[in-house]
Amino acid sequence: MLLVIVIPMDARPSREEFHYVVETLGSIHPEIISKNEERRAKFALRAKQSRPDEPLDDIKSDSTIAEETPITDAIVSTMLSQNTTDANQHKAFATLKKEFPSWNQVANESDSSRIEDAIRVAGLAKTRADRLQNMLQTIQNERHVANFEYLRYFGSPEEIQRELSRFKGMGPKTISCVLLFALGIPD
C-alpha cells in the first residue's frame, strides 16, 4: 500500500492529519513507535522525579539540578541532534554532561572552547557551543537557574513555542521535537 499525502509547503497539517500520519507510519514501523515510547517514558520518569516547585534556596548543589532537568536535557540533546548522526549526538551530549554536570556550569563557563571540545563530535562545535551557552545564560539571568523546567507550567503549546523560538537554533522542527518528546505534546 502506498500512502501519499500532499500538504502545501506553506501549510501545516491539522492535528487529525498529524495523528493519521503517525498511526500509519507506526503500523509500518512499530519499532520506531516503541523506541519513542521508551524515550517518552524516560523523560516522564525524570520529570516526575524533578522538583521544579522547590525554592532555589532549598536546592543543595548544581549536581542536584543536573539530575532533575529533563526538559533542558531534551532541548540541549535535540539541538545537538541537528545535522548529525544519532551516534554523534549521543556522544556529544554524554561528553558535555561529563564535563559540565550542571547546565549552570555551561552557562557560567568563561572558556567557551571547553564547551566546543565537549560537543565537537557532533560537528559545528563553535556555533552550537555559542548558541547553547547564550541560551542557558539568558535563562539563568532571567530565572536564576539555567534550566527550562518552568516550561511545564505554560498554558499552551503556542506559549512554549513562542518562548523557545526566541533562541537561535530553536526552529520549528526542534521545538516540535521538544514538545513531543520532553512534554508529550504533539505540535
Side-chain angles (χ1 to χ4, degrees):
M1 172 174 100
L2 177 63
L3 173 68
V4 177
I5 298 177
V6 179
I7 300 173
M9 292 302 289
D10 61 340
R12 298 192 72 174
S14 67
R15 272 193 190 276
E16 293 79 22
E17 291 167 327
F18 169 82
H19 288 291
Y20 175 75
V21 169
V22 169
E23 286 175 22
T24 303
L25 290 173
S27 68
I28 298 169
H29 302 286
E31 71 283 359
I32 301 297
I33 298 299
S34 296
K35 185 177 177 181
N36 284 338
E37 287 172 354
E38 287 173 23
R39 279 185 77 185
R40 260 190 234 114
K42 286 179 187 175
F43 280 128
L45 178 62
R46 289 177 71 187
K48 186 175 182 179
Q49 293 171 341
S50 71
R51 301 176 316 240
D53 290 327
E54 187 173 347
L56 292 176
D57 295 343
D58 293 344
I59 295 176
K60 305 295 184 253
S61 70
D62 280 347
S63 62
T64 303
I65 296 168
E67 295 168 5
E68 301 174 352
T69 58
I71 296 172
T72 311
D73 291 356
I75 289 170
V76 172
S77 180
T78 304
M79 287 181 76
L80 290 173
S81 75
Q82 299 165 347
N83 301 310
T84 194
T85 65
D86 281 348
N88 286 342
Q89 176 268 323
H90 291 300
K91 287 178 193 171
F93 186 80
T95 305
L96 183 64
K97 289 297 280 185
K98 182 179 177 186
E99 292 296 316
F100 302 95
S102 85
W103 297 121
N104 283 329
Q105 290 173 320
V106 175
N108 296 328
E109 178 56 49
S110 60
D111 181 5
S112 64
S113 68
R114 287 192 60 223
I115 301 168
E116 291 173 34
D117 290 343
I119 64 173
R120 189 165 314 283
V121 69
L124 304 170
K126 172 110 177 87
T127 301
R128 290 179 201 267
D130 289 346
R131 288 178 178 178
L132 286 172
Q133 190 173 40
N134 288 336
M135 177 181 68
L136 291 168
Q137 285 172 341
T138 299
I139 294 305
Q140 186 183 55
N141 289 336
E142 293 172 358
R143 299 196 172 258
H144 310 291
V145 63
N147 78 50
F148 284 89
E149 301 315 299
Y150 66 92
L151 293 177
R152 74 177 74 251
Y153 301 107
F154 278 39
S156 70
E158 293 76 22
E159 287 181 83
I160 297 169
Q161 289 168 333
R162 273 192 302 280
E163 176 68 5
L164 292 177
S165 67
R166 66 191 179 116
F167 300 106
K168 279 192 161 201
M170 292 297 292
K173 183 177 175 185
T174 302
I175 293 169
S176 291
C177 289
V178 170
L179 283 169
L180 185 61
F181 298 121
L183 297 163
I185 301 170
D187 177 22

